[in-house]
Amino acid sequence: MPRMPPKVEDHDREAAQADLEKRMREGKVSVGAAVREIRQRFVGITLEDYARLCGLSKTTLMNVERDDPRVLLESVKKAVEPLGYQLSLVPAEDL
């Protein structure tokens, strides 16, 4: 499977991931933007290859990454799980 080189160097990976997760908790990055950033910066895999890995069409994954409101939650779930994340509801006071 062809891979793009990750944009985050190994020695910077932990800090970059912590920064992304902080922005996610603060609501400063959308789910789709987070999927795209993780796929590109941390995993280094093309959209087409990642869509195949997730069992999604390239168009559906593209729509997930664009936060298209017509995307099914099941598709978002398929896109985040291989990255080590899950969809869940969190009480507002925990944000």
Coordinates of all heavy atoms in Angstrom, one line a residue:
M1 N 0.8 -1.2 0.0 CA 0.0 0.0 0.0 C 0.9 1.2 0.0 O 1.7 1.4 0.9 CB -0.9 -0.1 1.3 CG -1.6 1.1 1.6 SD -2.6 1.1 3.2 CE -3.2 -0.6 3.2
P2 N 0.8 2.1 -1.0 CA 1.6 3.3 -1.0 C 1.3 4.2 0.1 O 0.2 4.4 0.5 CB 1.3 4.0 -2.4 CG 0.2 3.2 -3.0 CD -0.1 2.0 -2.1
R3 N 2.4 4.8 0.7 CA 2.1 5.6 1.9 C 2.8 7.0 1.6 O 3.9 7.0 1.1 CB 2.7 5.0 3.1 CG 1.9 3.8 3.6 CD 2.6 3.2 4.8 NE 2.7 4.1 5.9 CZ 2.1 4.0 7.0 NH1 1.3 3.0 7.2 NH2 2.2 4.9 8.0
M4 N 2.2 8.0 2.1 CA 2.8 9.3 2.0 C 3.7 9.4 3.3 O 3.4 8.8 4.3 CB 1.8 10.4 2.1 CG 0.7 10.4 1.0 SD -0.6 11.6 1.2 CE -0.7 12.0 2.9
P5 N 4.8 10.1 3.2 CA 5.6 10.2 4.4 C 4.9 11.1 5.4 O 4.3 12.1 5.1 CB 6.9 10.9 3.9 CG 6.5 11.6 2.6 CD 5.4 10.8 2.1
P6 N 4.9 10.6 6.7 CA 4.2 11.4 7.7 C 4.8 12.8 7.9 O 6.0 12.9 7.7 CB 4.4 10.6 9.0 CG 4.7 9.2 8.5 CD 5.4 9.3 7.2
K7 N 4.0 13.8 8.1 CA 4.5 15.1 8.2 C 5.1 15.4 9.6 O 5.8 16.3 9.8 CB 3.4 16.1 7.9 CG 3.0 16.1 6.5 CD 1.9 17.2 6.2 CE 1.4 17.1 4.8 NZ 0.4 18.0 4.6
V8 N 4.8 14.5 10.6 CA 5.3 14.7 11.9 C 6.4 13.7 12.1 O 6.3 12.5 11.9 CB 4.2 14.4 13.0 CG1 4.7 14.4 14.4 CG2 3.0 15.4 12.8
E9 N 7.6 14.2 12.5 CA 8.7 13.4 12.8 C 8.5 12.6 14.0 O 7.8 13.0 14.9 CB 10.0 14.3 12.9 CG 10.3 15.1 11.7 CD 10.8 14.2 10.5 OE1 11.4 13.1 10.8 OE2 10.5 14.6 9.4
D10 N 9.1 11.5 14.2 CA 8.9 10.6 15.3 C 9.2 11.3 16.6 O 8.4 11.1 17.6 CB 9.8 9.3 15.2 CG 9.3 8.3 14.2 OD1 8.1 8.4 13.8 OD2 10.1 7.5 13.8
H11 N 10.2 12.1 16.7 CA 10.5 12.8 18.0 C 9.5 13.9 18.3 O 9.5 14.3 19.5 CB 12.0 13.4 17.9 CG 12.2 14.4 16.9 ND1 12.5 14.1 15.6 CD2 12.2 15.7 16.9 CE1 12.6 15.2 14.9 NE2 12.5 16.2 15.7
D12 N 8.7 14.3 17.4 CA 7.7 15.4 17.6 C 6.3 14.8 17.7 O 5.3 15.5 18.0 CB 7.7 16.4 16.4 CG 9.0 17.2 16.3 OD1 9.6 17.4 17.4 OD2 9.3 17.6 15.2
R13 N 6.2 13.5 17.5 CA 4.9 12.8 17.4 C 4.0 13.0 18.7 O 2.9 13.3 18.6 CB 5.0 11.4 17.0 CG 3.7 10.6 16.8 CD 3.9 9.2 16.3 NE 4.6 9.2 15.1 CZ 4.0 9.3 13.9 NH1 2.7 9.4 13.8 NH2 4.7 9.2 12.8
E14 N 4.6 12.7 19.8 CA 3.9 12.7 21.1 C 3.3 14.1 21.3 O 2.1 14.3 21.7 CB 4.7 12.3 22.2 CG 4.0 12.0 23.5 CD 4.9 11.4 24.6 OE1 5.6 10.4 24.3 OE2 4.8 11.8 25.7
A15 N 4.1 15.1 21.2 CA 3.7 16.5 21.4 C 2.6 16.9 20.4 O 1.6 17.6 20.8 CB 4.9 17.5 21.4
A16 N 2.8 16.6 19.2 CA 1.8 16.9 18.1 C 0.5 16.2 18.4 O -0.6 16.8 18.2 CB 2.4 16.6 16.7
Q17 N 0.5 15.0 18.8 CA -0.7 14.2 19.1 C -1.4 14.8 20.3 O -2.6 15.0 20.3 CB -0.4 12.8 19.3 CG -1.7 12.0 19.4 CD -1.5 10.5 19.3 OE1 -0.4 10.0 19.0 NE2 -2.5 9.7 19.6
A18 N -0.6 15.2 21.3 CA -1.2 15.8 22.5 C -1.9 17.1 22.1 O -3.0 17.5 22.6 CB -0.2 16.0 23.6
D19 N -1.3 17.9 21.2 CA -1.8 19.2 20.8 C -3.1 19.0 20.1 O -4.1 19.7 20.3 CB -0.8 19.9 19.9 CG -1.4 21.2 19.4 OD1 -1.7 22.1 20.2 OD2 -1.6 21.3 18.1
L20 N -3.2 18.0 19.1 CA -4.4 17.7 18.4 C -5.5 17.3 19.3 O -6.6 17.7 19.2 CB -4.1 16.6 17.3 CG -5.4 16.1 16.6 CD1 -6.1 17.3 15.9 CD2 -5.0 15.0 15.7
E21 N -5.2 16.4 20.3 CA -6.2 15.9 21.2 C -6.7 17.0 22.1 O -7.9 17.1 22.4 CB -5.7 14.7 22.0 CG -5.5 13.5 21.1 CD -4.9 12.3 21.8 OE1 -4.6 12.4 23.0 OE2 -4.8 11.2 21.2
K22 N -5.9 18.0 22.5 CA -6.3 19.1 23.2 C -7.3 20.0 22.4 O -8.3 20.4 22.9 CB -5.1 19.9 23.7 CG -5.5 21.2 24.4 CD -4.2 22.0 24.9 CE -4.6 23.1 25.7 NZ -4.3 24.4 25.1
R23 N -6.9 20.2 21.1 CA -7.8 21.0 20.3 C -9.1 20.3 20.0 O -10.2 20.9 19.9 CB -7.1 21.3 18.9 CG -6.0 22.3 19.0 CD -5.3 22.6 17.7 NE -4.5 21.5 17.2 CZ -4.6 21.0 16.0 NH1 -5.4 21.5 15.1 NH2 -3.9 20.0 15.6
M24 N -9.1 18.9 20.0 CA -10.3 18.2 19.8 C -11.2 18.3 21.0 O -12.4 18.6 20.9 CB -10.0 16.7 19.6 CG -9.4 16.4 18.2 SD -8.6 14.8 18.0 CE -10.0 13.7 18.4
R25 N -10.6 18.2 22.2 CA -11.4 18.3 23.5 C -12.0 19.7 23.6 O -13.1 19.9 24.1 CB -10.5 18.1 24.7 CG -10.3 16.6 25.0 CD -9.6 16.4 26.4 NE -8.4 17.2 26.5 CZ -7.2 16.8 26.1 NH1 -7.1 15.7 25.5 NH2 -6.2 17.6 26.3
E26 N -11.3 20.7 23.2 CA -11.7 22.1 23.3 C -12.7 22.5 22.1 O -13.2 23.6 22.1 CB -10.5 23.1 23.2 CG -9.6 23.0 24.4 CD -8.3 23.7 24.3 OE1 -8.0 24.2 23.2 OE2 -7.6 23.9 25.3
G27 N -12.9 21.6 21.2 CA -13.9 21.9 20.1 C -13.3 22.8 19.1 O -14.0 23.4 18.3
K28 N -12.0 22.9 19.0 CA -11.3 23.8 18.0 C -11.0 23.1 16.7 O -10.6 23.7 15.8 CB -10.0 24.3 18.6 CG -10.3 25.2 19.8 CD -9.0 25.8 20.3 CE -9.3 26.7 21.5 NZ -8.0 27.2 22.1
V29 N -11.2 21.8 16.7 CA -11.1 21.0 15.4 C -12.2 20.1 15.3 O -12.7 19.5 16.3 CB -9.7 20.3 15.4 CG1 -9.6 19.3 16.5 CG2 -9.4 19.6 14.1
S30 N -12.8 20.0 14.1 CA -14.0 19.1 13.9 C -13.5 17.7 13.8 O -12.3 17.4 13.6 CB -14.7 19.6 12.6 OG -13.8 19.3 11.5
V31 N -14.5 16.8 13.8 CA -14.2 15.4 13.7 C -13.5 15.1 12.3 O -12.5 14.4 12.2 CB -15.5 14.5 13.8 CG1 -15.2 13.1 13.5 CG2 -16.0 14.6 15.2
G32 N -14.1 15.7 11.3 CA -13.6 15.4 9.9 C -12.2 16.0 9.8 O -11.3 15.3 9.2
A33 N -11.9 17.2 10.3 CA -10.6 17.8 10.2 C -9.6 16.9 11.0 O -8.4 16.8 10.6 CB -10.6 19.2 10.7
A34 N -10.0 16.4 12.1 CA -9.1 15.5 13.0 C -8.8 14.3 12.2 O -7.6 13.8 12.2 CB -9.8 15.2 14.3
V35 N -9.8 13.6 11.6 CA -9.5 12.4 10.8 C -8.5 12.7 9.7 O -7.5 12.0 9.5 CB -10.8 11.9 10.1 CG1 -10.5 10.8 9.1 CG2 -11.8 11.3 11.2
R36 N -8.7 13.8 9.0 CA -7.8 14.2 7.9 C -6.4 14.5 8.4 O -5.4 14.0 7.9 CB -8.3 15.4 7.1 CG -7.4 15.8 6.0 CD -7.9 16.9 5.1 NE -8.4 18.0 5.9 CZ -9.7 18.4 6.0 NH1 -10.6 17.7 5.4 NH2 -10.1 19.4 6.8
E37 N -6.3 15.2 9.5 CA -5.0 15.5 10.1 C -4.3 14.3 10.6 O -3.1 14.1 10.3 CB -5.1 16.5 11.3 CG -3.8 17.0 11.8 CD -4.0 18.1 12.8 OE1 -5.0 18.8 12.8 OE2 -3.0 18.3 13.6
I38 N -5.0 13.4 11.3 CA -4.3 12.1 11.7 C -3.9 11.3 10.6 O -2.8 10.8 10.5 CB -5.3 11.4 12.7 CG1 -5.6 12.2 13.9 CG2 -4.7 10.0 13.0 CD1 -6.7 11.6 14.8
R39 N -4.8 11.2 9.6 CA -4.5 10.3 8.4 C -3.2 10.9 7.7 O -2.3 10.1 7.3 CB -5.7 10.3 7.4 CG -5.4 9.6 6.1 CD -6.6 9.6 5.2 NE -6.9 10.9 4.7 CZ -6.3 11.6 3.8 NH1 -5.2 11.1 3.2 NH2 -6.7 12.8 3.4
Q40 N -3.2 12.2 7.5 CA -2.1 12.8 6.7 C -0.8 12.9 7.6 O 0.3 12.5 7.1 CB -2.5 14.1 6.2 CG -3.5 14.0 5.1 CD -4.0 15.4 4.6 OE1 -3.8 16.4 5.3 NE2 -4.6 15.4 3.4
R41 N -0.9 13.5 8.7 CA 0.3 13.9 9.5 C 0.9 12.8 10.3 O 2.1 12.7 10.6 CB -0.1 15.1 10.5 CG -0.4 16.3 9.8 CD -0.6 17.5 10.7 NE 0.7 17.8 11.4 CZ 0.8 18.3 12.6 NH1 -0.2 18.5 13.3 NH2 2.0 18.5 13.1
F42 N 0.0 11.9 10.8 CA 0.5 10.8 11.7 C 0.6 9.5 11.0 O 1.5 8.7 11.3 CB -0.4 10.7 13.0 CG -0.4 12.0 13.8 CD1 -1.4 12.9 13.6 CD2 0.6 12.2 14.7 CE1 -1.4 14.1 14.4 CE2 0.6 13.4 15.4 CZ -0.4 14.3 15.3
V43 N -0.4 9.1 10.2 CA -0.4 7.8 9.6 C 0.4 7.9 8.2 O 1.1 7.0 7.8 CB -1.8 7.3 9.4 CG1 -1.8 5.9 8.7 CG2 -2.5 7.2 10.7
G44 N 0.2 9.0 7.5 CA 0.8 9.2 6.2 C 0.3 8.3 5.1 O 1.0 7.7 4.4
I45 N -1.0 8.1 5.1 CA -1.7 7.3 4.1 C -2.6 8.1 3.2 O -3.2 9.1 3.6 CB -2.5 6.1 4.8 CG1 -2.9 5.0 3.8 CG2 -3.6 6.7 5.6 CD1 -3.5 3.8 4.5
T46 N -2.7 7.7 1.9 CA -3.5 8.5 1.0 C -5.0 8.3 1.3 O -5.4 7.3 2.0 CB -3.3 8.0 -0.5 OG1 -3.7 6.6 -0.6 CG2 -1.8 8.1 -0.9
L47 N -5.8 9.2 0.8 CA -7.2 9.1 1.0 C -7.8 7.8 0.4 O -8.6 7.1 1.1 CB -7.9 10.4 0.3 CG -9.4 10.4 0.5 CD1 -9.8 11.1 1.8 CD2 -10.0 11.2 -0.7
E48 N -7.3 7.5 -0.8 CA -7.8 6.3 -1.4 C -7.5 5.0 -0.7 O -8.4 4.2 -0.5 CB -7.3 6.2 -2.8 CG -7.8 5.1 -3.7 CD -7.3 5.1 -5.1 OE1 -6.7 6.1 -5.5 OE2 -7.5 4.1 -5.8
D49 N -6.3 4.9 -0.2 CA -5.9 3.7 0.6 C -6.6 3.7 1.9 O -7.0 2.6 2.4 CB -4.4 3.7 0.7 CG -3.6 3.4 -0.5 OD1 -4.2 2.8 -1.4 OD2 -2.4 3.7 -0.6
Y50 N -6.7 4.8 2.6 CA -7.4 4.8 3.9 C -8.9 4.5 3.7 O -9.4 3.7 4.5 CB -7.2 6.1 4.6 CG -7.7 6.0 6.0 CD1 -7.1 5.1 6.9 CD2 -8.8 6.7 6.5 CE1 -7.5 5.0 8.2 CE2 -9.3 6.6 7.8 CZ -8.6 5.7 8.6 OH -9.1 5.6 9.9
A51 N -9.5 5.0 2.7 CA -10.9 4.7 2.4 C -11.1 3.1 2.2 O -12.0 2.5 2.8 CB -11.4 5.4 1.2
R52 N -10.2 2.5 1.5 CA -10.2 1.1 1.3 C -10.0 0.4 2.6 O -10.8 -0.6 2.9 CB -9.1 0.7 0.3 CG -9.3 -0.7 -0.2 CD -8.3 -1.1 -1.3 NE -8.1 0.0 -2.3 CZ -6.9 0.6 -2.6 NH1 -5.9 0.2 -1.9 NH2 -6.9 1.5 -3.5
L53 N -9.1 0.8 3.4 CA -8.9 0.2 4.7 C -10.1 0.3 5.6 O -10.4 -0.7 6.4 CB -7.7 0.9 5.4 CG -7.3 0.5 6.8 CD1 -6.6 -0.9 6.8 CD2 -6.4 1.5 7.5
C54 N -10.8 1.4 5.6 CA -12.0 1.6 6.4 C -13.3 0.9 5.8 O -14.3 0.8 6.5 CB -12.3 3.1 6.5 SG -11.1 4.1 7.3
G55 N -13.2 0.5 4.6 CA -14.4 -0.1 4.0 C -15.4 1.0 3.5 O -16.6 0.8 3.5
L56 N -14.8 2.2 3.2 CA -15.6 3.3 2.7 C -15.2 3.6 1.3 O -14.1 3.3 0.9 CB -15.4 4.5 3.6 CG -15.8 4.4 5.0 CD1 -15.3 5.7 5.8 CD2 -17.3 4.3 5.2
S57 N -16.1 4.3 0.6 CA -15.7 4.8 -0.8 C -14.9 6.0 -0.5 O -14.9 6.6 0.5 CB -17.0 5.1 -1.6 OG -17.6 6.3 -1.1
K58 N -14.1 6.3 -1.6 CA -13.2 7.5 -1.5 C -14.1 8.8 -1.3 O -13.7 9.6 -0.5 CB -12.4 7.6 -2.8 CG -11.4 8.7 -2.8 CD -10.6 8.7 -4.1 CE -9.8 9.9 -4.3 NZ -9.1 9.9 -5.6
T59 N -15.2 8.8 -2.0 CA -16.1 10.0 -1.9 C -16.7 10.1 -0.5 O -16.7 11.2 0.1 CB -17.3 9.8 -2.9 OG1 -16.7 9.8 -4.2 CG2 -18.2 11.0 -2.8
T60 N -17.1 9.0 0.1 CA -17.6 9.0 1.5 C -16.6 9.5 2.5 O -16.8 10.3 3.3 CB -18.2 7.6 1.9 OG1 -19.2 7.3 1.0 CG2 -18.7 7.7 3.3
L61 N -15.3 9.0 2.4 CA -14.3 9.4 3.3 C -14.0 10.9 3.1 O -13.8 11.6 4.0 CB -13.0 8.6 3.1 CG -11.8 9.0 4.0 CD1 -12.2 8.9 5.5 CD2 -10.6 8.1 3.8
M62 N -14.0 11.3 1.8 CA -13.8 12.7 1.5 C -14.9 13.6 2.2 O -14.6 14.6 2.8 CB -13.8 13.0 0.0 CG -13.2 14.3 -0.4 SD -13.2 14.5 -2.2 CE -12.7 12.9 -2.8
N63 N -16.1 13.1 2.2 CA -17.2 13.8 2.8 C -17.1 13.8 4.3 O -17.4 14.8 5.0 CB -18.5 13.3 2.3 CG -18.8 13.6 0.9 OD1 -18.3 14.6 0.4 ND2 -19.7 12.8 0.3
V64 N -16.6 12.7 4.9 CA -16.3 12.7 6.3 C -15.3 13.7 6.7 O -15.5 14.5 7.6 CB -15.8 11.3 6.8 CG1 -15.3 11.3 8.2 CG2 -16.9 10.2 6.7
E65 N -14.2 13.8 6.0 CA -13.2 14.8 6.2 C -13.6 16.2 6.0 O -13.0 17.1 6.6 CB -11.9 14.5 5.4 CG -11.2 13.2 5.8 CD -9.9 12.9 5.1 OE1 -9.6 13.6 4.2 OE2 -9.3 11.9 5.5
R66 N -14.6 16.4 5.2 CA -15.2 17.8 5.0 C -16.3 18.1 5.9 O -16.9 19.1 5.8 CB -15.7 17.9 3.5 CG -14.6 17.8 2.5 CD -15.2 17.9 1.1 NE -14.1 17.9 0.1 CZ -14.3 17.7 -1.1 NH1 -15.6 17.5 -1.6 NH2 -13.3 17.7 -2.0
D67 N -16.6 17.2 6.8 CA -17.7 17.4 7.8 C -19.1 17.6 7.1 O -19.9 18.4 7.5 CB -17.5 18.5 8.8 CG -16.3 18.2 9.7 OD1 -16.3 17.2 10.3 OD2 -15.3 19.0 9.7
D68 N -19.3 16.9 6.0 CA -20.5 17.0 5.2 C -21.6 16.5 6.2 O -21.6 15.3 6.7 CB -20.4 16.1 4.0 CG -21.6 16.2 3.1 OD1 -22.8 16.3 3.6 OD2 -21.4 16.2 1.9
P69 N -22.7 17.3 6.4 CA -23.7 16.9 7.3 C -24.6 15.7 6.8 O -25.3 15.1 7.6 CB -24.6 18.1 7.5 CG -24.3 18.9 6.2 CD -22.9 18.6 5.8
R70 N -24.4 15.3 5.6 CA -25.2 14.2 5.0 C -24.6 12.8 5.3 O -25.1 11.8 5.0 CB -25.4 14.4 3.5 CG -26.2 15.6 3.2 CD -26.2 15.9 1.7 NE -24.8 16.2 1.4 CZ -24.4 16.5 0.1 NH1 -25.2 16.4 -0.9 NH2 -23.2 16.8 -0.1
V71 N -23.3 12.8 5.9 CA -22.6 11.6 6.1 C -23.3 10.9 7.3 O -23.6 11.5 8.3 CB -21.1 11.9 6.4 CG1 -20.4 10.6 6.9 CG2 -20.4 12.5 5.2
L72 N -23.4 9.6 7.1 CA -24.0 8.7 8.2 C -23.0 8.6 9.3 O -21.8 8.5 9.1 CB -24.4 7.4 7.7 CG -25.4 7.3 6.5 CD1 -25.5 5.9 6.0 CD2 -26.7 7.8 7.0
L73 N -23.5 8.5 10.6 CA -22.7 8.3 11.7 C -21.9 7.0 11.6 O -20.7 6.9 12.0 CB -23.5 8.3 13.0 CG -23.9 9.7 13.5 CD1 -24.8 9.5 14.8 CD2 -22.7 10.6 13.8
E74 N -22.5 6.0 11.0 CA -21.8 4.7 10.8 C -20.5 4.9 9.9 O -19.5 4.3 10.2 CB -22.7 3.7 10.1 CG -22.1 2.3 10.0 CD -21.7 1.7 11.3 OE1 -22.4 2.0 12.4 OE2 -20.8 0.9 11.4
S75 N -20.6 5.8 9.0 CA -19.4 6.1 8.1 C -18.3 6.8 8.9 O -17.1 6.6 8.8 CB -19.8 7.0 6.9 OG -20.7 6.3 6.1
V76 N -18.7 7.8 9.8 CA -17.8 8.5 10.6 C -17.1 7.5 11.6 O -15.9 7.5 11.8 CB -18.4 9.6 11.4 CG1 -17.4 10.3 12.3 CG2 -19.1 10.6 10.5
K77 N -17.9 6.6 12.1 CA -17.4 5.6 13.0 C -16.3 4.7 12.3 O -15.3 4.4 12.9 CB -18.5 4.7 13.5 CG -18.1 3.6 14.5 CD -19.4 2.8 14.9 CE -18.9 1.6 15.7 NZ -20.0 0.7 16.1
K78 N -16.6 4.3 11.1 CA -15.7 3.5 10.3 C -14.4 4.3 10.0 O -13.3 3.7 9.9 CB -16.3 3.1 9.0 CG -17.3 2.0 9.1 CD -17.8 1.6 7.7 CE -18.8 0.4 7.8 NZ -19.2 0.0 6.4
A79 N -14.5 5.6 9.9 CA -13.3 6.4 9.6 C -12.4 6.6 10.8 O -11.2 6.8 10.7 CB -13.8 7.7 9.0
V80 N -13.0 6.7 12.0 CA -12.2 7.0 13.2 C -11.7 5.8 13.9 O -10.6 5.8 14.6 CB -13.0 7.9 14.3 CG1 -13.4 9.2 13.6 CG2 -14.2 7.2 14.9
E81 N -12.3 4.6 13.9 CA -11.9 3.5 14.6 C -10.5 3.0 14.2 O -9.7 2.7 15.1 CB -13.0 2.4 14.5 CG -14.2 2.7 15.4 CD -15.2 1.6 15.4 OE1 -15.2 0.8 14.5 OE2 -16.1 1.7 16.3
P82 N -10.1 2.9 13.0 CA -8.8 2.4 12.6 C -7.7 3.4 13.2 O -6.5 3.0 13.3 CB -8.8 2.3 11.1 CG -10.2 2.2 10.7 CD -10.9 3.0 11.7
L83 N -8.1 4.6 13.5 CA -7.1 5.6 14.0 C -7.0 5.5 15.5 O -6.2 6.2 16.1 CB -7.6 7.0 13.6 CG -7.6 7.3 12.1 CD1 -8.3 8.6 11.8 CD2 -6.2 7.2 11.5
G84 N -7.8 4.6 16.1 CA -7.7 4.4 17.6 C -8.6 5.3 18.3 O -8.4 5.5 19.5
Y85 N -9.7 5.8 17.7 CA -10.6 6.7 18.4 C -12.0 6.0 18.2 O -12.2 5.1 17.5 CB -10.6 8.1 17.7 CG -9.4 8.8 18.0 CD1 -8.3 8.7 17.1 CD2 -9.2 9.6 19.1 CE1 -7.1 9.4 17.4 CE2 -8.1 10.3 19.4 CZ -7.0 10.2 18.5 OH -5.8 10.8 18.8
Q86 N -13.0 6.5 19.0 CA -14.3 6.1 18.9 C -15.3 7.3 19.1 O -14.9 8.3 19.6 CB -14.6 5.1 20.0 CG -14.6 5.6 21.4 CD -14.8 4.5 22.5 OE1 -14.8 3.4 22.2 NE2 -15.2 5.0 23.7
L87 N -16.5 7.2 18.6 CA -17.5 8.2 18.7 C -18.1 8.0 20.1 O -18.4 6.8 20.4 CB -18.5 8.1 17.6 CG -18.1 8.5 16.2 CD1 -19.2 8.3 15.3 CD2 -17.5 9.8 16.2
S88 N -18.4 9.1 20.8 CA -19.1 8.9 22.1 C -19.7 10.3 22.4 O -19.3 11.3 21.9 CB -18.2 8.4 23.2 OG -17.1 9.4 23.4
L89 N -20.7 10.2 23.3 CA -21.2 11.5 23.9 C -20.5 11.8 25.2 O -20.3 10.9 26.0 CB -22.7 11.3 24.1 CG -23.6 11.1 22.9 CD1 -25.0 10.8 23.3 CD2 -23.5 12.3 22.0
V90 N -20.1 13.0 25.4 CA -19.4 13.4 26.6 C -20.2 14.5 27.2 O -20.6 15.5 26.5 CB -18.0 13.9 26.2 CG1 -17.3 14.3 27.5 CG2 -17.2 12.8 25.5
P91 N -20.5 14.5 28.5 CA -21.3 15.6 29.1 C -20.5 16.9 28.9 O -19.3 16.9 29.0 CB -21.3 15.2 30.6 CG -21.1 13.7 30.6 CD -20.3 13.4 29.4
A92 N -21.3 17.9 28.7 CA -20.7 19.2 28.4 C -19.7 19.7 29.5 O -18.7 20.3 29.2 CB -21.7 20.3 28.2
E93 N -20.0 19.4 30.8 CA -19.1 19.8 31.8 C -17.7 19.1 31.8 O -16.8 19.5 32.4 CB -19.7 19.6 33.2 CG -20.0 18.2 33.6 CD -21.4 17.7 33.2 OE1 -22.1 18.4 32.6 OE2 -21.7 16.6 33.6
D94 N -17.6 18.0 31.0 CA -16.3 17.3 30.9 C -15.5 17.8 29.8 O -14.4 17.4 29.6 CB -16.6 15.8 30.6 CG -17.2 15.1 31.9 OD1 -17.1 15.7 33.0 OD2 -17.7 14.0 31.7
L95 N -16.0 18.8 29.0 CA -15.2 19.3 27.9 C -14.3 20.4 28.4 O -14.3 21.1 29.3 CB -16.2 19.9 26.8 CG -17.1 18.9 26.2 CD1 -18.0 19.6 25.2 CD2 -16.3 17.8 25.5

